[in-house]
Amino acid sequence: MRIPVIIVGVLSLCGLATVVVRGVSADADGCGSAGIKLTVAADPAIAPALTEIGNRWSATNPLVGEDCVRVEVVAKPSYQLANSLGTWAGGNIDVADKPAPTPQDSELPVVWVPDSTYWLGRVRGVDRDLFEADAPSVAASPVVLAVPETVARQLGDKVKGGIDAPLLKQMLFAKPSALKLGVVEPRRDTAGMVGAMMLSDAVVAQEKDLPNLVGVYRAIGGPVPDVEALWKAYAAGLTAAPVSEQSVIAYNAKAKAPMAAVTLAEAPTLDFPFAVRSRQPRPLATAAAMFSQAVRGGEYKSVFAENGLRSPDGQVSTGFPTGHGITSAGVFVQPLADMNKVRGAMTVWVAAKTPSRVIALVDATSSMGRTMTGGGNTAVRMQVLRSAAENGLRLFTDDSELGLWAFAGKGHVPLVPLGELTRSQRSKLLTAVRQAAPQPTDVSPLYQSVIAGYRELLKGYDPARSNTLVVFTDGRDGSGMALRTVQKELEKLADVTKPIRVVLLGLGPDVKLADLQAVADTTGGVAFQVTDPAQMETIFLRALLA
């Protein structure tokens, strides 16, 4: 069958018209709905720069096959997306906030540019394969100490070469202190975590210094939830805080009273990694790789510079703002990637800042009147316990709840009921501890007392507090209850929505540590043996932090 030439011509014109219309639509849209949309979630510190770069790059009509690519950048605080990613991966990332609702896969970006490798490390702690292994840096910003100009002039040449850990310690413990330090909550802010780690380096030379670090963390104002709140805290007397250089630049651009940036020697640097989610469709993965190459290619260095950001190598480009302690000199870039060190500082920080709910269960059998080791050590076990309890009280925040029980003979006796650590409650606890004395019995109802204490903590369980049963004992259970029996009972009582840890500290040589550890393991707790009185305070803190 032959189609009339006129019909062919009309169809051809219609087809041409369709092509022209589609082409105009794509040009007007920059790419069109038929193209590939590359979603990028970026920390607010870098989002404006990436938005401009994304628009300029998309305008060059980059193609994956025959499909054009358009970049869509969404500003999202790093901790917020980390929170969402944690729940999506089936875990939890502590950002000092409620767990985020589980997002749909389609709600997650293809590319994530947090302000630091710190966040990739925390997310990989939940799902190590969530992002591709290679996440190159696209920009950098050192962490500095932001101080008012008047304070900077007072510090003078002392800080000319930067502040390292020893100088920070000297300044903090000077009489009067040269600085009133504040931080953004380290669990949600990279610069805040850098500050917490520097304080740890300054204070902790050996393990016995850990209680001092708790005191230093407690003395820090706040912490505040974000950088905007931090700037407001200066009006209330704050004189120094670790923030990024980019934050200081952004603040000074609109502030009447600018801040000075003081160098922190050897401090980690914000490195803005370009992280691509694993297992993406090939076109999206290709588009992400193309955009990554464009961002890092050098063509857009001035865009980063104008937004207060350095190149990944720490150098600056045309348009970078200087002044108030910020110079164009290059900086050494070292990402915050040591997650073991991060976890160490974070564990102490959380313990220092988070309220606890604790019942201390104390062995009062006659053996507590013996010496610790029996081998020349004259320290009486009950006296070691008293000293540990008195010193341990200062490890808990005022909004914690503590109670004290003793056990010997037929069972336990509540000496001080659970109550908030008001001045009155602290006084009651100290009095009870100082009056504690061994009873004339060697029968130790350890296991049944542990079960009773666990039940008591379950009754008024408080999700806002760390709920813990701390047990001090110098021997084994003497009531006849089998180890497996107490384990089974604790397993029955356990509620995943109400986690309670049992922490046991065995004093002296008569302790069977394996049994104590078996009880602790049932609840996710920990057990320690103390044979030297000098170890007691440090081990007590380690037990609480474990």
Side-chain angles (χ1 to χ4, degrees):
M1 179 179 176
R2 300 185 62 166
I3 301 174
V5 174
I6 188 168
I7 295 177
V8 174
V10 169
L11 290 176
S12 299
L13 287 172
C14 288
L16 179 59
T18 302
V19 171
V20 170
V21 169
R22 288 187 60 191
V24 170
S25 174
D27 288 342
D29 197 33
C31 180
S33 58
I36 297 171
K37 182 174 76 171
L38 180 65
T39 55
V40 179
D43 188 89
I46 197 171
L50 288 180
T51 298
E52 181 178 343
I53 293 169
N55 290 339
R56 287 168 57 175
W57 182 69
S58 296
T60 65
N61 196 34
L63 298 175
V64 174
E66 296 182 355
D67 293 319
C68 60
V69 180
R70 57 190 173 93
V71 177
E72 183 178 286
V73 178
V74 177
K76 188 90 169 177
S78 297
Y79 81 89
Q80 288 185 5
L81 188 57
N83 195 9
S84 294
L85 289 167
T87 56
W88 184 82
N92 178 51
I93 296 173
D94 183 5
V95 295
D97 201 356
K98 295 178 182 178
T102 304
Q104 298 295 319
D105 182 78
S106 59
E107 297 174 319
L108 296 178
V110 176
V111 176
W112 184 30
V113 185
D115 67 7
S116 171
T117 295
Y118 166 66
W119 291 108
L120 286 182
R122 296 193 66 188
V123 168
R124 284 170 174 155
V126 177
D127 184 345
R128 63 183 299 176
D129 299 319
L130 192 53
F131 288 93
E132 293 181 1
D134 185 29
S137 172
V138 298
S141 186
V143 176
V144 298
L145 201 66
V147 301
E149 290 280 10
T150 52
V151 175
R153 285 192 289 271
Q154 291 170 5
L155 295 176
D157 291 340
K158 187 192 310 186
V159 297
K160 192 173 183 180
I163 297 178
D164 57 12
L167 180 55
L168 181 60
K169 181 179 182 179
Q170 177 187 328
M171 296 169 75
L172 287 174
F173 290 100
K175 300 293 183 182
S177 175
L179 299 172
K180 183 177 179 182
L181 197 63
V183 295
V184 179
E185 167 62 62
R187 285 173 285 177
R188 61 167 59 190
D189 183 77
T190 307
M193 176 50 66
V194 170
M197 291 169 66
M198 281 201 70
L199 286 170
S200 179
D201 290 341
V203 175
V204 181
Q206 46 193 323
E207 195 174 52
K208 69 177 184 178
D209 297 326
L210 280 173
N212 296 332
L213 181 60
V214 171
V216 169
Y217 282 167
R218 291 252 174 88
I220 292 176
V224 295
D226 52 43
V227 176
E228 290 305 313
L230 185 71
W231 296 132
K232 294 175 183 176
Y234 281 85
L238 187 70
T239 62
V243 299
S244 71
E245 180 184 69
Q246 188 273 341
S247 292
V248 176
I249 291 171
Y251 176 81
N252 287 347
K254 56 186 178 181
K256 293 180 180 178
M259 290 284 172
V262 178
T263 301
L264 290 175
E266 301 179 1
T269 317
L270 304 191
D271 62 319
F272 300 95
F274 190 100
V276 180
R277 274 206 299 143
S278 301
R279 299 177 291 276
Q280 294 300 297
R282 186 183 295 274
L284 280 174
T286 302
M290 291 168 58
F291 186 52
S292 173
Q293 186 175 3
V295 169
R296 295 180 292 116
E299 182 180 349
Y300 303 107
K301 281 185 177 181
S302 62
V303 178
F304 287 120
E306 289 163 3
N307 283 275
L309 294 166
R310 296 171 178 266
S311 299
D313 59 2
Q315 302 301 313
V316 302
S317 296
T318 305
F320 184 78
T322 59
H324 307 291
I326 296 171
T327 73
S328 59
V331 299
F332 177 68
V333 176
Q334 48 178 347
L336 180 52
D338 187 344
M339 297 312 294
N340 287 328
K341 192 171 182 180
V342 164
R343 280 188 288 272
M346 189 178 294
T347 299
V348 181
W349 173 267
V350 172
K353 291 292 188 178
T354 303
S356 302
R357 184 169 175 268
V358 175
I359 291 178
L361 192 57
V362 176
D363 192 334
T365 55
S366 60
S367 60
M368 288 294 287
R370 301 175 190 164
T371 58
M372 278 285 289
T373 65
N377 192 321
T378 58
V380 176
R381 298 174 190 180
M382 183 60 79
Q383 183 54 48
V384 172
L385 187 149
R386 288 194 197 104
S387 177
E390 289 187 30
N391 291 331
L393 266 177
R394 67 188 177 92
L395 299 177
F396 297 99
T397 61
D398 290 341
D399 53 351
S400 293
E401 292 183 356
L402 258 73
L404 179 65
W405 292 9
F407 65 93
K410 294 183 179 181
H412 70 274
V413 177
L415 302 179
V416 181
L418 261 174
E420 191 165 305
L421 271 181
T422 60
R423 183 174 297 180
S424 173
Q425 182 74 352
R426 286 183 185 271
S427 177
K428 290 176 185 177
L429 289 164
L430 282 172
T431 300
V433 165
R434 289 166 181 167
Q435 292 177 349
Q439 302 302 301
T441 177
D442 273 335
V443 178
S444 171
L446 172 62
Y447 291 163
Q448 68 184 61
S449 299
V450 166
I451 293 169
Y454 196 97
R455 284 186 174 135
E456 184 66 20
L457 287 169
L458 271 177
K459 282 182 188 176
Y461 183 84
D462 187 347
R465 291 177 164 91
S466 171
N467 296 260
T468 308
L469 181 66
V470 179
V471 184
F472 297 89
T473 182
D474 72 340
R476 311 173 188 182
D477 181 87
S479 67
M481 182 180 288
L483 173 61
R484 186 57 194 147
T485 301
V486 68
Q487 288 179 301
K488 286 182 178 179
E489 189 61 31
L490 290 172
E491 288 168 357
K492 289 178 187 175
L493 292 170
D495 182 341
V496 292
T497 67
K498 299 177 179 179
I500 295 171
R501 295 167 65 244
V502 178
V503 172
L504 301 104
L505 290 96
L507 283 66
D510 305 324
V511 172
K512 191 172 181 181
L513 185 60
D515 287 356
L516 299 185
Q517 188 62 59
V519 174
D521 287 345
T522 307
T523 67
V526 67
F528 291 91
Q529 184 170 11
V530 184
T531 56
D532 182 352
Q535 302 172 325
M536 191 62 197
E537 185 176 11
T538 301
I539 290 179
F540 185 23
L541 179 58
R542 281 177 56 200
L544 294 176
L545 297 179

